[in-house]
Amino acid sequence: MAESEKQSIFRPERAPLGVTFLVLSGSSIMCVASAVDPLRAANRVSGETVFDWKIVSADGAMPTTTSGLPVAVSGRFDPSERTGMLAIVGGFGTRDHGTPALLSGIRRAARSARAYGGIEAGSWLVARAGLLEGRAATTHWEDMEDFTAAFPGTDVRPDRYVIDGPAFTAGGASPTFDLMLHLIRSRLGMAVALDVASVFIYDQARAATDAQPLVSLGRLDGYDPRLAQAIRLMETHIDQPLTTAAIARRAGVTARTLEGIFTRSIGETPGAYYLRLRLHAARRLVLDTRIAMADIAARCGFSSSAAFSRAFSRAFGNPPTAMRR
């Protein structure tokens, strides 16, 4: 394995990753949110700071998004500050932001970062800084033809997002969300990525009248469709949990095969994932409602309040009564 691969941010790692978002005026507020909010949710789901991010601008002033909403920043972009991941978020007019000083700063910051890239039109500045030469990349579909002509040394692809060595690019807001879910899954595992997707009810396209799922599978590439079926069964039987054998029968596989699917895809057994799903449902009820603990225990499939309290304490470090206070 090459040294650059060893240092990739897209690999299992619990150490906090420092992330710098350089946001330019003319960016889409959805791109900014799709970049930042999944990391915020990952911290919340994990109960620790696994992503330590900051938002900066080229001049220290608040950049104005296309919707007219300003984005609060912590200060001016400082190329001398080390960061694990540098992401440039751009939109309308970004092509014109590439001053020599800014491009020089991006090159300097990228040299010390473990990963660097552009979100939507931010890819223009990454390319103008010479950081996509000889690499695969993407940008927003409206700019694809111009981008390809402007950077003939870049392998421009119409993909949602592209990762090539330390460089990453994403084509828009939804692809950026996909990219961040991929980052979360790569570092923290499929289970955490599923939890983050579920915070935003992020799933494949569904009708407006479809029920909102507890677990959103999103566009997490590579999951077995039988995994999705099993998880759907679990989430619809929170109050009366099914056995692994019963879930396997309904999914059309043996219990042993289902165990293998979960272990490969999520890194947990079906039973462990099911318990965690029920406990996260319980935690939402503990924090967001005043429902009695005995009722929460029953709603989440625990035989007694005592059994619920023990399992809750093991999972979250405190009993539910203490968390509610």
Side-chain angles (χ1 to χ4, degrees):
M1 180 179 287
E3 184 63 23
S4 61
E5 292 175 324
K6 291 181 182 178
Q7 297 302 316
S8 172
I9 62 172
F10 297 96
R11 64 186 179 92
E13 187 175 355
R14 296 293 304 195
L17 176 67
V19 182
T20 299
F21 292 106
L22 171 55
V23 179
L24 303 171
S25 286
S27 297
S28 160
I29 191 67
M30 286 189 68
C31 281
V32 177
S34 291
V36 176
D37 232 21
L39 305 188
R40 186 272 310 166
N43 286 349
R44 179 175 179 267
V45 166
S46 301
E48 56 184 306
T49 303
V50 288
F51 296 102
D52 184 12
W53 75 85
K54 64 187 299 185
I55 302 176
V56 299
S57 65
D59 58 5
M62 290 192 294
T64 302
T65 60
T66 49
S67 61
L69 294 174
V71 176
V73 298
S74 61
R76 183 173 185 165
F77 173 50
D78 182 356
S80 66
E81 285 190 1
R82 295 183 66 87
T83 187
M85 175 180 176
L86 172 65
I88 295 115
V89 186
F92 291 127
T94 292
R95 301 189 204 185
D96 303 323
H97 287 295
T99 64
L102 180 58
L103 295 180
S104 175
I106 290 172
R107 279 192 296 271
R108 181 182 176 187
R111 279 196 297 268
S112 63
R114 292 171 60 186
Y116 55 82
I119 291 171
E120 200 171 270
S123 55
W124 281 87
L125 294 193
V126 180
R128 288 221 162 116
L131 298 170
L132 296 180
E133 186 71 19
R135 294 193 181 279
T138 192
T139 190
H140 192 275
W141 63 268
E142 291 180 322
D143 289 343
M144 198 73 67
E145 186 175 348
D146 290 347
F147 191 80
T148 302
F151 307 107
T154 299
D155 176 14
V156 182
R157 301 178 181 178
D159 299 352
R160 294 176 66 79
Y161 66 86
V162 173
I163 301 169
D164 187 349
F168 61 85
T169 45
S174 181
T176 298
F177 201 109
D178 294 336
L179 172 65
M180 293 304 168
L181 281 182
H182 176 67
L183 175 65
I184 292 165
R185 184 180 66 169
S186 298
R187 296 179 66 82
L188 307 174
M190 180 74 153
V192 175
L194 286 173
D195 288 341
V196 170
S198 302
V199 168
F200 301 96
I201 319 174
Y202 184 71
D203 211 341
Q204 294 172 337
R206 292 177 180 273
T209 54
D210 283 355
Q212 293 188 11
L214 291 174
V215 178
S216 298
L217 297 173
R219 301 180 189 275
L220 292 166
D221 57 325
Y223 68 79
D224 191 306
R226 294 169 295 183
L227 173 70
Q229 186 177 358
I231 290 176
R232 292 290 178 241
L233 286 168
M234 291 176 182
E235 69 174 9
T236 54
H237 293 82
I238 294 290
D239 56 340
Q240 294 182 324
L242 301 170
T243 65
T244 297
I247 295 171
R249 280 196 305 273
R250 296 192 188 192
V253 297
T254 65
R256 183 174 180 179
T257 296
L258 188 65
E259 295 269 354
I261 291 170
F262 268 79
T263 301
R264 287 192 305 273
S265 301
I266 297 183
E268 294 181 342
T269 65
Y273 181 80
Y274 203 173
L275 175 60
R276 202 163 56 79
L277 178 62
R278 291 160 49 213
L279 285 168
H280 278 282
R283 184 172 67 170
R284 287 192 291 271
L285 293 174
V286 169
L287 293 175
D288 299 338
T289 75
R290 304 309 300 174
I291 297 173
M293 294 300 172
D295 292 336
I296 294 176
R299 284 193 186 191
C300 297
F302 292 92
S303 59
S304 67
S305 295
F308 166 55
S309 184
R310 286 194 299 271
F312 195 97
S313 297
R314 283 195 299 270
F316 303 118
N318 286 301
T321 50
M323 187 172 286
R324 175 170 281 182
R325 288 197 298 268

